[in-house]
Amino acid sequence: MNIQEYISSGIVESYVLGLADEAERLEFEQMCARHAEVLAARDAFEMDLEQHAIASAVAPPASLRETILQQLAAEPVAANREVAPVVEQEKVVQMEVTSRPAIPLFMRYAAAAAIILLVASAGLNFYYFTKYREFSQAYDRLLAQQAVLAKNSAVLQTKLSTYEHTVAGLTDTNMVAIKMNGTSAPASPDRSSLATVYWDTRSKDVYLMVNNLPQPETGKQYQLWAIVDNVPVDAGMLDMANGHVMVKMKNIPRAQLFAITLEQAGGSPTPKGPMYVLGKV
């Protein structure tokens, strides 16, 4: 388990504020005992709470103490005495009077102070719970933003690697560039079409780069063919989303011509659609 990720999960705040359930509380206490970083994070958060409470403490009005003292002084020092009559048949009624001891004044002060502290504590708990919820929501938003940035970074890194590969292929002396023109293809639907095959003379790997091809309609896809001894050999399907960089196609050991036709999406075992470009090796 990554300790920093565990600390950043919000468990420290949940434990200190009393929001963690029994299982989380036991796990957190075990983690505090095993890892000094977790214990330090708990102590730091508790210290932050204490410092914030001291900084945010609101002194009661000066008149509050005087009001409490006046209310206490207005009450009788001794409680009403209880008179317990005892009546016995054919006997003289006797009255026994007992008195309750007076409540010490300092205990009344202590009770009033306890009530004030209880109210203040409840307000403070609510305040910190609200802040914790705000921090937790902000943290979730930051995590979502970080995920988006990481995804965008990965996409950019992939594109950069692709362009670097394209540049490396264009400058490789073992690469043979074969221009395929629309004007070379019989009855090409678009005479301005142009694509280039890069054929590695050592590995026989084939790469295709689209210079100009019309966007195919839905359900259609361009297919590259290698003409070997007048027989068309499937060299792979073209994804137009990646067509303007060097796209690796199928390995072709030898060929006299390369051509591109427009086929049904997924390809065809033999050319059936119109030929857009053709180039001689």
Side-chain angles (χ1 to χ4, degrees):
M1 177 184 294
N2 189 302
I3 300 300
Q4 291 304 320
E5 290 181 359
Y6 180 75
I7 293 174
S8 301
S9 67
I11 183 61
V12 176
E13 293 81 359
S14 297
Y15 178 85
V16 174
L17 295 176
L19 303 177
D21 56 31
E22 183 65 19
E24 292 175 335
R25 186 182 62 80
L26 292 176
E27 181 187 20
F28 182 77
E29 290 175 352
Q30 292 174 359
M31 292 295 288
C32 286
R34 296 174 183 172
H35 303 282
E37 299 96 324
V38 181
L39 180 59
R42 186 196 70 184
D43 293 341
F45 184 69
E46 290 176 344
M47 181 63 69
D48 288 343
L49 287 181
E50 182 178 352
Q51 291 176 354
H52 189 81
I54 293 174
S56 305
V58 179
S63 59
L64 179 61
R65 181 176 180 274
E66 187 65 25
T67 301
I68 295 175
L69 292 177
Q70 290 177 0
Q71 291 178 355
L72 293 176
E75 297 179 2
V77 177
N80 294 330
R81 297 179 178 276
E82 294 183 1
V83 180
V86 181
V87 179
E88 294 181 2
Q89 188 178 6
E90 298 179 355
K91 290 186 178 181
V92 180
V93 177
Q94 298 179 352
M95 302 294 293
E96 180 181 356
V97 180
T98 60
S99 62
R100 294 178 180 175
I103 300 176
L105 191 59
F106 77 88
M107 292 186 64
R108 298 186 181 187
Y109 288 159
I115 293 174
I116 294 173
L117 288 175
L118 180 61
V119 173
S121 176
L124 189 63
N125 286 340
F126 178 77
Y127 170 79
Y128 278 114
F129 175 73
T130 302
K131 288 297 182 183
Y132 168 75
R133 185 169 54 186
E134 293 175 356
F135 292 152
S136 179
Q137 292 173 351
Y139 177 73
D140 291 340
R141 289 194 297 270
L142 288 174
L143 284 181
Q145 293 174 2
Q146 184 181 14
V148 172
L149 290 175
K151 182 179 179 180
N152 292 339
S153 177
V155 171
L156 291 175
Q157 186 63 39
T158 300
K159 289 183 177 180
L160 178 60
S161 298
T162 302
Y163 287 129
E164 289 176 346
H165 176 73
T166 299
V167 172
L170 293 174
T171 57
D172 190 346
T173 56
N174 294 299
M175 285 287 190
V176 175
I178 304 165
K179 293 289 185 181
M180 297 183 293
N181 296 288
T183 55
S184 302
S188 173
D190 188 340
R191 308 293 284 179
S192 64
S193 297
L194 178 64
T196 306
V197 165
Y198 292 92
W199 194 14
D200 191 329
T201 57
R202 292 177 305 177
S203 65
K204 305 303 181 181
D205 288 334
V206 174
Y207 299 87
L208 176 63
M209 178 182 291
V210 173
N211 303 103
N212 182 37
L213 277 177
Q215 187 66 30
E217 61 186 56
T218 303
K220 298 288 186 177
Q221 191 174 8
Y222 288 112
Q223 187 169 359
L224 178 66
W225 302 93
I227 312 301
V228 183
D229 298 331
N230 295 323
V231 177
V233 177
D234 174 30
M237 306 302 297
L238 172 63
D239 182 359
M240 285 294 287
N242 301 319
H244 295 287
V245 294
M246 288 181 63
V247 180
K248 186 175 182 180
M249 309 300 282
K250 293 183 178 180
N251 185 279
I252 301 295
R254 66 188 186 91
Q256 292 81 46
L257 298 167
F258 282 96
I260 292 179
T261 61
L262 184 62
E263 307 291 343
Q264 294 293 329
S268 173
T270 58
K272 296 180 180 179
M275 181 185 297
Y276 273 75
V277 292
L278 177 68
K280 185 178 180 180
V281 177

